[in-house]
């Protein structure tokens, strides 16, 4: 630890002594494009660069344009094409030109950045109906397959054994322990007698989020996606909880929203503020679920990539700065990856626990006098 402190001190002193224009003499590392390239969805999966050439997995493109359906591949779109009308700053929008004879492009700037657009005859952009298999969709399928294997293998063991047989070992035993921990300590402790009714949904939420989170920190395709850091995914999960809570809510639950136990002037004319607040709370609960999961997972990916990018930024200054900061950056990256494993579990647990709490609040029974 003492030597690490000395190394950090020497690195900071050296960096302070480096002329300010030294960084301008070498190519800059575009950290923003690295971060957004991982976090954002795309029509291809960039693996790595070898000899300056990118190694890319091209994915299917399926869109419905004004001329009909188009079925192709992301490799059909060329790099480095400019066209269209100029922006307010005088710079023409950049596109990746589509196949010959089509009016499709992938916008590399503007409001539809990294999305397929259709260039209309008047030069305007229009988003077609897009059913393409993007990187996020591929990672969704991979997560579903891994999750099915993790669940069906223990289920197969349960089919072949009786309830009084010795407990399984290995991976099957671990999954049994994991499932019973979530069911007994989280779902059943919150929902009580109604736990068996909602356990399938809540267990599915937990293990889907946890599996997606864990696979997302493995930096090798087909893993390493940012599924739970995509707000469309967290929106769908929160929407499912919202529908289940409000569809299965009891009469007492709706009574407490529209006619709560408060003075009449707070729930009727002329104020009626409490029903408004309670009704507004119906939507804020799933919104909090959506934002909490999305923001935490996206931030974790961004921080881990930022620590890795420090290495290339320091090497862009000079060799001494690169060597000294490489050890610090690697140590911090490893620490963040270990912390991210803990966050993967915590975020899945929090989403499941809050969903169970919202369900329990929707099944409140009538109060006795």
């Amino acid at each position: 630890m003492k030597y690490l402190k000395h190394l950090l001190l020497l690195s900071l002193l050296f960096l302070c002594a480096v002329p300010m224009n030294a960084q301008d003499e070498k190519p800059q590392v575009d950290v923003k494009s690295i971060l957004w390239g991982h976090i954002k969805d795309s029509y291809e999966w960039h693996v790595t660069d070898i000899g300056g050439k990118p190694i890319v997995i091209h994915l299917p493109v399926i869109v419905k344009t004004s001329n009909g359906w188009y079925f192709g591949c992301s490799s059909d779109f060329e790099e480095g094409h400019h066209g269209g009308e100029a922006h307010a700053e005088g710079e023409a929008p950049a596109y990746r030109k589509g196949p010959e004879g089509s009016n499709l492009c992938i916008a590399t700037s503007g409001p539809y950045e990294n999305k397929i657009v259709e260039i209309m005859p008047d030069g305007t952009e229009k988003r077609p109906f897009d059913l393409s298999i993007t990187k996020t969709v591929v990672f969704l399928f991979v997560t579903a397959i891994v999750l099915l294997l993790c669940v069906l293998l223990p289920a197969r063991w349960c089919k072949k054994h009786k309830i009084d047989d010795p407990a399984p070992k290995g991976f099957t035993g671990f999954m049994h322990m994991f499932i019973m921990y979530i069911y007994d300590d989280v779902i059943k402790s919150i929902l009580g007698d109604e736990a068996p009714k909602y356990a399938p949904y809540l267990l599915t939420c937990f293990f889907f989020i946890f599996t997606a989170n864990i696979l997302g920190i493995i930096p090798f395709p087909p893993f390493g996606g940012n599924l739970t850091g995509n707000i469309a995914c967290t929106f769908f999960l929160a929407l499912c909880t919202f529908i289940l809570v409000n569809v299965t809510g009891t009469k007492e639950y709706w009574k407490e929203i529209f006619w709560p136990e408060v003075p009449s002037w707070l729930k009727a004319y002329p104020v009626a503020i409490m029903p408004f607040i309670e009704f507004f709370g119906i939507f804020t609960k799933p919104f909090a679920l959506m934002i909490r999961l999305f923001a935490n997972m996206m931030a974790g990916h961004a921080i881990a990539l930022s620590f890795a990018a420090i290495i290339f930024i320091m090497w862009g200054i000079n060799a001494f700065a690169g060597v000294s900061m490489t050890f610090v950056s690697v140590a911090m990256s490893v620490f963040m990856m270990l912390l991210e494993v803990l966050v993967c579990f915590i975020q899945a647990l929090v989403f499941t626990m809050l969903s169970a709490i919202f369900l329990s609040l929707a099944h409140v029974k009538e109060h006795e006098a």
Side-chain angles (χ1 to χ4, degrees):
M1 191 68 185
K2 178 177 67 176
Y3 297 107
L4 180 60
K5 291 180 179 178
H6 291 166
L7 181 60
L8 283 171
L9 181 60
L10 286 173
S11 302
L12 290 173
L13 290 174
F14 181 81
L15 292 176
C16 292
V18 173
M20 294 300 293
N21 60 353
Q23 199 173 4
D24 298 334
E25 299 173 359
K26 297 191 177 182
Q28 300 292 312
V29 178
D30 191 356
V31 180
K32 181 180 177 181
S33 64
I34 294 174
L35 293 179
W36 286 114
H38 171 75
I39 293 173
K40 283 187 175 182
D41 200 4
S42 65
Y43 295 94
E44 57 195 17
W45 201 316
H46 180 267
V47 181
T48 185
D49 291 338
I50 299 179
K53 295 183 178 180
I55 306 300
V56 176
I57 300 175
H58 295 286
L59 302 174
V61 173
I62 307 170
V63 292
K64 184 180 182 181
T65 67
S66 56
N67 299 324
W69 286 95
Y70 169 78
F71 299 90
C73 184
S74 61
S75 60
D76 299 336
F77 294 81
E78 303 173 0
E79 293 284 354
H81 172 73
H82 290 262
E85 297 178 356
H87 290 303
E89 305 87 37
E91 181 184 350
Y95 301 104
R96 288 180 56 188
K97 188 178 179 181
E100 199 68 34
S102 73
N103 55 348
L104 293 176
C105 295
I106 296 181
T108 57
S109 62
Y112 299 125
E113 185 176 359
N114 295 327
K115 300 293 183 182
I116 291 180
V117 296
E118 185 179 2
I119 307 299
M120 306 306 291
D122 58 358
T124 59
E125 299 175 354
K126 179 185 176 183
R127 278 283 287 146
F129 183 65
D130 198 344
L131 293 176
S132 302
I133 309 298
T134 60
K135 183 174 74 171
T136 301
V137 176
V138 172
F139 187 62
L140 175 62
F141 289 150
V142 171
T143 302
I145 292 171
V146 173
L147 181 58
L148 284 173
L149 291 176
C150 292
V151 173
L152 292 180
L153 291 177
R156 184 181 180 186
W157 184 93
C158 292
K159 278 187 175 182
K160 293 183 178 181
H161 293 78
K162 298 179 180 178
I163 195 170
D164 55 349
D165 286 348
K169 298 180 180 180
F171 177 75
T172 302
F174 171 76
M175 287 301 299
H176 275 247
M177 177 200 69
F178 206 178
I179 293 171
M180 293 310 299
Y181 163 70
I182 300 299
Y183 178 76
D184 290 333
D185 293 352
V186 178
I187 300 174
K188 193 172 182 180
S189 63
I190 295 174
L191 290 172
D193 295 337
E194 293 188 333
K197 187 188 301 183
Y198 301 103
Y201 168 73
L202 295 172
L203 286 171
T204 301
C205 284
F206 174 84
F207 283 101
F208 174 78
I209 295 172
F210 180 69
T211 305
N213 291 346
I214 290 295
L215 297 182
I217 62 176
I218 301 176
F220 308 104
F223 308 126
N226 187 37
L227 184 59
T228 49
N230 188 309
I231 199 166
C233 175
T234 59
F235 169 78
F236 178 77
L237 292 172
L239 180 64
C240 291
T241 298
F242 170 79
I243 293 174
L244 188 62
V245 166
N246 292 285
V247 168
T248 62
T250 61
K251 289 192 294 184
E252 186 65 23
Y253 165 72
W254 291 105
K255 179 184 175 183
E256 289 186 355
I257 292 176
F258 293 106
W259 199 256
E261 297 290 336
V262 295
S264 300
W265 62 273
L266 286 176
K267 58 185 177 182
Y269 183 82
V271 182
I273 190 172
M274 288 306 297
F276 174 77
I277 294 175
E278 293 292 340
F279 183 75
F280 188 71
I282 295 176
F283 302 96
T284 56
K285 292 172 185 176
F287 182 79
L289 281 179
M290 175 184 70
I291 296 298
R292 178 184 285 108
L293 179 59
F294 159 73
N296 280 282
M297 297 314 302
M298 187 184 72
H301 285 262
I303 293 172
L305 286 171
S306 298
F307 280 127
I310 292 176
I311 299 175
F312 304 99
I313 295 173
M314 292 299 119
W315 276 100
I317 297 175
N318 55 47
F320 182 83
V323 172
S324 60
M325 291 304 295
T326 294
F327 297 104
V328 179
S329 179
V330 170
M332 293 301 295
S333 297
V334 171
F335 171 75
M336 278 303 304
M337 293 298 286
L338 295 176
L339 184 62
E340 191 72 7
V341 173
L342 180 61
V343 172
C344 291
F345 172 77
I346 291 175
Q347 290 304 314
L349 185 65
V350 167
F351 188 96
T352 306
M353 182 178 63
L354 290 178
S355 297
I357 291 173
F358 297 157
L359 283 167
S360 68
L361 293 175
H363 291 79
V364 62
K365 295 179 181 179
E366 187 174 356
H367 300 297
E368 295 182 1

